[in-house]
Amino acid sequence: MPLITTSAIVGAAKQASKGTLAANPTFAHGVSGGSPISVEPSQAALEVTAAKRARTNVVRDNVAASAEIQSPAYLKTLGLYLLGALGSDTVTGTGPYVHTYATNDLPYLSIFAKGIGANIEGIRDCKVDELSLKWSNSKPLELSVKMQGTVFSYPSTFTPTTDETGSESWLVPIGGTFQYEVLGGALATATVTGGELTIKNNISDVDGSAAVEAVDVIEGIQEHSLKLSVVPDDLQDFRKTVTGGAAGTSVASVVPYGQVSLAFKENNGTGQLAVTGTKIAFMTAFPDVNAKGDKIEIELAGIPVVPAGGTAPLVYALTNGQATY
């Protein structure tokens, strides 16, 4: 019988140490797309002369292991991916628990895939290269995680501690909070129709001479970005971002900073994800016109940076029933 694409589930676990694949996933869930296990050998014909006008050998010099996971933002599993993307988690509360993430050294994760065929696949020593959360209108929050790892293998077991496959505990914008201010004034609620939050860690491989697989992966600078699609009542956001003031009349030579406060709710419960930032350089373009008539919609693009005394460009705070990650 041919293999079908709908049978795959993925698992993830924080490793106890570099170089050792976790025995089993801590979390498992279904996916909506992506390639949970990617193993890409680099090989080419050896350029050496022979007795014929053709190549006689092929050399494999590198094998890159990575993962790309797309799924709804499941309430508990999301916490592990946020830890993998940001680096540290401060836990408060006694149940529900609030996990507040900050920029720090990234943990090593093990990624598993099960369901396509009879085997279980795994990649160890993964670090999160990019994590994004995207939403459109009132549809569920979509998670995308890209990781790079070192060694690929076939684990013998797949027994997750928490399996969110089929769960209805994902995050949605319905009932949430969408506030921002492109300058330093008070936050105001806006008609937000969608958006995207992204964390990039600029991961690179450490390739040794003793093996074709990477010996380590290392993070670079951490970059945060956000986009908000907004239906405004006026064009003050454009004027403020360009001129630096609500009554500005010329282009500002310095960057004006604003702030944001967003909250997403659990689809079937009391959990939530709050995202806040207090030093964000916003930009937007003058909107297009339409002779047929339609609502004006602008896209605000923001570059968050760490404020004085801050812990991250954007602060992600996840409330759920998971005590630790």
Side-chain angles (χ1 to χ4, degrees), residues 181-187 240 244 256-259 278 280:
E181 169 52 51
V182 298
L183 296 181
L187 290 164
K240 291 175 182 178
Y257 291 110
Q259 55 183 327
T278 58
I280 303 171

mmCIF file of all heavy atoms in Angstrom, residues 181-187 240 244 256-259 278 280:
data_model
loop_
_atom_site.group_PDB
_atom_site.id
_atom_site.type_symbol
_atom_site.label_atom_id
_atom_site.label_comp_id
_atom_site.label_asym_id
_atom_site.label_seq_id
_atom_site.Cartn_x
_atom_site.Cartn_y
_atom_site.Cartn_z
ATOM 1 N N GLU A 181 1.101 51.296 19.806
ATOM 2 C CA GLU A 181 1.293 52.728 19.594
ATOM 3 C C GLU A 181 2.640 52.878 18.901
ATOM 4 O O GLU A 181 3.654 52.360 19.386
ATOM 5 C CB GLU A 181 1.268 53.498 20.907
ATOM 6 C CG GLU A 181 1.717 54.951 20.824
ATOM 7 C CD GLU A 181 0.983 55.749 19.742
ATOM 8 O OE1 GLU A 181 -0.257 55.718 19.718
ATOM 9 O OE2 GLU A 181 1.667 56.393 18.933
ATOM 10 N N VAL A 182 2.675 53.531 17.745
ATOM 11 C CA VAL A 182 3.906 53.611 16.973
ATOM 12 C C VAL A 182 4.899 54.610 17.569
ATOM 13 O O VAL A 182 6.079 54.593 17.208
ATOM 14 C CB VAL A 182 3.623 53.957 15.493
ATOM 15 C CG1 VAL A 182 2.782 52.865 14.843
ATOM 16 C CG2 VAL A 182 2.939 55.305 15.366
ATOM 17 N N LEU A 183 4.435 55.482 18.458
ATOM 18 C CA LEU A 183 5.327 56.346 19.221
ATOM 19 C C LEU A 183 5.300 55.889 20.676
ATOM 20 O O LEU A 183 4.777 54.841 21.001
ATOM 21 C CB LEU A 183 4.902 57.809 19.095
ATOM 22 C CG LEU A 183 4.982 58.413 17.692
ATOM 23 C CD1 LEU A 183 4.546 59.875 17.718
ATOM 24 C CD2 LEU A 183 6.394 58.300 17.136
ATOM 25 N N GLY A 184 5.846 56.662 21.581
ATOM 26 C CA GLY A 184 5.968 56.228 22.963
ATOM 27 C C GLY A 184 4.762 56.491 23.833
ATOM 28 O O GLY A 184 4.858 56.412 25.050
ATOM 29 N N GLY A 185 3.607 56.813 23.243
ATOM 30 C CA GLY A 185 2.425 57.139 24.030
ATOM 31 C C GLY A 185 1.708 55.922 24.551
ATOM 32 O O GLY A 185 2.204 54.785 24.504
ATOM 33 N N ALA A 186 0.496 56.151 25.055
ATOM 34 C CA ALA A 186 -0.301 55.077 25.640
ATOM 35 C C ALA A 186 -0.766 54.102 24.564
ATOM 36 O O ALA A 186 -1.047 54.483 23.425
ATOM 37 C CB ALA A 186 -1.502 55.666 26.371
ATOM 38 N N LEU A 187 -0.847 52.840 24.934
ATOM 39 C CA LEU A 187 -1.345 51.812 24.023
ATOM 40 C C LEU A 187 -2.814 52.053 23.697
ATOM 41 O O LEU A 187 -3.590 52.494 24.544
ATOM 42 C CB LEU A 187 -1.184 50.431 24.648
ATOM 43 C CG LEU A 187 0.246 49.901 24.775
ATOM 44 C CD1 LEU A 187 0.282 48.729 25.742
ATOM 45 C CD2 LEU A 187 0.772 49.474 23.406
ATOM 46 N N LYS A 240 3.121 59.505 11.928
ATOM 47 C CA LYS A 240 4.001 59.351 13.089
ATOM 48 C C LYS A 240 5.289 58.605 12.748
ATOM 49 O O LYS A 240 6.377 58.994 13.189
ATOM 50 C CB LYS A 240 3.257 58.614 14.208
ATOM 51 C CG LYS A 240 2.138 59.407 14.855
ATOM 52 C CD LYS A 240 1.391 58.543 15.864
ATOM 53 C CE LYS A 240 0.232 59.280 16.499
ATOM 54 N NZ LYS A 240 -0.523 58.405 17.449
ATOM 55 N N GLY A 244 7.876 61.256 13.045
ATOM 56 C CA GLY A 244 8.252 61.140 14.451
ATOM 57 C C GLY A 244 7.336 61.876 15.396
ATOM 58 O O GLY A 244 7.621 61.973 16.592
ATOM 59 N N PRO A 256 11.698 56.832 15.531
ATOM 60 C CA PRO A 256 10.746 56.862 16.638
ATOM 61 C C PRO A 256 10.434 55.427 17.092
ATOM 62 O O PRO A 256 10.319 54.525 16.266
ATOM 63 C CB PRO A 256 9.509 57.522 16.022
ATOM 64 C CG PRO A 256 9.595 57.208 14.564
ATOM 65 C CD PRO A 256 11.045 57.072 14.223
ATOM 66 N N TYR A 257 10.333 55.239 18.393
ATOM 67 C CA TYR A 257 10.040 53.908 18.936
ATOM 68 C C TYR A 257 8.626 53.855 19.502
ATOM 69 O O TYR A 257 8.155 54.811 20.132
ATOM 70 C CB TYR A 257 11.026 53.541 20.049
ATOM 71 C CG TYR A 257 12.426 53.296 19.566
ATOM 72 C CD1 TYR A 257 13.457 54.197 19.872
ATOM 73 C CD2 TYR A 257 12.747 52.165 18.820
ATOM 74 C CE1 TYR A 257 14.756 53.982 19.442
ATOM 75 C CE2 TYR A 257 14.046 51.939 18.380
ATOM 76 C CZ TYR A 257 15.042 52.849 18.694
ATOM 77 O OH TYR A 257 16.331 52.624 18.262
ATOM 78 N N GLY A 258 7.972 52.721 19.284
ATOM 79 C CA GLY A 258 6.643 52.500 19.829
ATOM 80 C C GLY A 258 6.591 51.238 20.659
ATOM 81 O O GLY A 258 7.624 50.675 21.046
ATOM 82 N N GLN A 259 5.382 50.776 20.927
ATOM 83 C CA GLN A 259 5.212 49.599 21.781
ATOM 84 C C GLN A 259 4.010 48.786 21.319
ATOM 85 O O GLN A 259 3.185 49.251 20.526
ATOM 86 C CB GLN A 259 5.050 50.009 23.242
ATOM 87 C CG GLN A 259 3.922 50.992 23.503
ATOM 88 C CD GLN A 259 3.860 51.415 24.966
ATOM 89 O OE1 GLN A 259 4.171 50.634 25.861
ATOM 90 N NE2 GLN A 259 3.448 52.650 25.212
ATOM 91 N N THR A 278 8.372 47.136 24.255
ATOM 92 C CA THR A 278 8.318 48.566 24.581
ATOM 93 C C THR A 278 9.306 49.414 23.791
ATOM 94 O O THR A 278 9.366 50.625 23.978
ATOM 95 C CB THR A 278 8.573 48.783 26.081
ATOM 96 O OG1 THR A 278 9.849 48.244 26.432
ATOM 97 C CG2 THR A 278 7.485 48.113 26.913
ATOM 98 N N ILE A 280 10.094 49.445 19.875
ATOM 99 C CA ILE A 280 9.877 48.880 18.542
ATOM 100 C C ILE A 280 9.928 50.000 17.506
ATOM 101 O O ILE A 280 9.207 50.993 17.620
ATOM 102 C CB ILE A 280 8.521 48.159 18.458
ATOM 103 C CG1 ILE A 280 8.433 47.071 19.540
ATOM 104 C CG2 ILE A 280 8.314 47.550 17.075
ATOM 105 C CD1 ILE A 280 7.064 46.445 19.669
#
